Amino acid sequence: MPILPESIEVLADIKRKKVLSEFKNIFNCYYLANNEEDLSNSFIKFWSLNERVFKKIYGKKNDNILMNNIEKLLKFYSNNKFFKYKLNMIRQKRNKLVHENISEITQEDRNFVKHISDLLIYFLMEFDDKIKSFSDYGLILDNYGENNIAHKINLMEYACELKR
């Protein structure tokens, strides 16, 4: 996903200064993580970006809450059951890196965390035109996972209203 040149154009359309400032910070962190040469550092920077954005959305920062929110995001775009398994493995590697200073990070691990960041940024940009605060994104993610088809239709109608 080509984040920078095309995505910066989206920023010009955001009228709310607080949301605009957050998007600039997100793109800056993404750029730094993407251009980091060290694999482990790049991995941690992408992970931190995801943590920071989910904290903005939900206001809570707990490892289990973060994992649940990442799972919701992955389900929003794909129902691939492998992602949940991979996410748990990534979490273990992240904890070893941060708490024990043991790096088992592979290029695939770094790319998976980058993929989560890409999806997160795409999700933010998809609903950016009517979102008044980052907590509004949480409403969309929290209500998406319902199996009730009528509920999903209502959610999509709500999303369309946000885009107007």
Side-chain angles (χ1 to χ4, degrees):
M1 180 167 113
I3 289 287
L4 277 173
E6 295 83 4
S7 301
I8 299 254
E9 294 171 10
V10 171
L11 295 178
D13 295 333
I14 299 175
K15 304 293 189 252
R16 294 158 318 282
K17 291 191 184 297
K18 188 173 183 179
V19 174
L20 175 63
S21 173
E22 288 301 326
F23 269 95
K24 286 181 179 179
N25 289 336
I26 290 167
F27 287 136
N28 185 41
C29 292
Y30 183 92
Y31 178 78
L32 292 173
N34 199 44
N35 290 318
E36 175 66 51
E37 290 183 19
D38 184 69
L39 201 57
S40 296
N41 287 340
S42 180
F43 173 88
I44 286 296
K45 286 180 180 183
F46 278 118
W47 187 273
S48 297
L49 170 65
N50 297 333
E51 282 183 340
R52 190 176 318 161
V53 172
F54 278 116
K55 186 172 184 206
K56 277 283 177 205
I57 292 173
Y58 288 101
K60 301 173 188 171
K61 188 177 178 187
N62 172 317
D63 207 28
N64 291 328
I65 293 171
L66 174 67
M67 297 303 284
N68 289 336
N69 292 332
I70 291 174
E71 285 178 26
K72 288 178 195 176
L73 179 71
L74 292 171
K75 285 180 187 176
F76 192 84
Y77 290 105
S78 171
N79 202 14
N80 189 337
K81 297 195 190 302
F82 170 75
F83 285 158
K84 185 173 181 174
Y85 173 75
K86 181 69 174 170
L87 185 59
N88 287 328
M89 288 179 49
I90 293 291
R91 177 186 187 183
Q92 292 172 1
K93 287 185 177 187
R94 179 256 177 212
N95 288 342
K96 277 188 177 180
L97 178 64
V98 171
H99 299 294
E100 300 172 22
N101 202 20
I102 299 171
S103 180
E104 299 174 351
I105 306 301
T106 65
Q107 186 70 40
E108 180 184 350
D109 299 333
R110 181 260 189 203
N111 289 344
F112 185 76
V113 175
K114 179 184 180 294
H115 176 68
I116 294 169
S117 296
D118 290 343
L119 289 177
L120 184 55
I121 290 172
Y122 182 75
F123 175 74
L124 296 175
M125 292 173 58
E126 190 173 0
F127 300 104
D128 73 326
D129 55 344
K130 297 296 179 190
I131 295 294
K132 292 182 175 75
S133 72
F134 270 74
S135 62
D136 293 343
Y137 289 114
L139 288 172
I140 296 169
L141 270 180
D142 287 342
N143 293 305
Y144 181 76
E146 299 293 325
N147 290 329
N148 182 345
I149 211 70
H151 180 71
K152 288 185 179 181
I153 291 170
N154 289 338
L155 180 62
M156 295 312 292
E157 288 172 354
Y158 171 71
C160 289
E161 287 176 24
L162 288 177
K163 287 188 176 186
R164 286 187 217 149

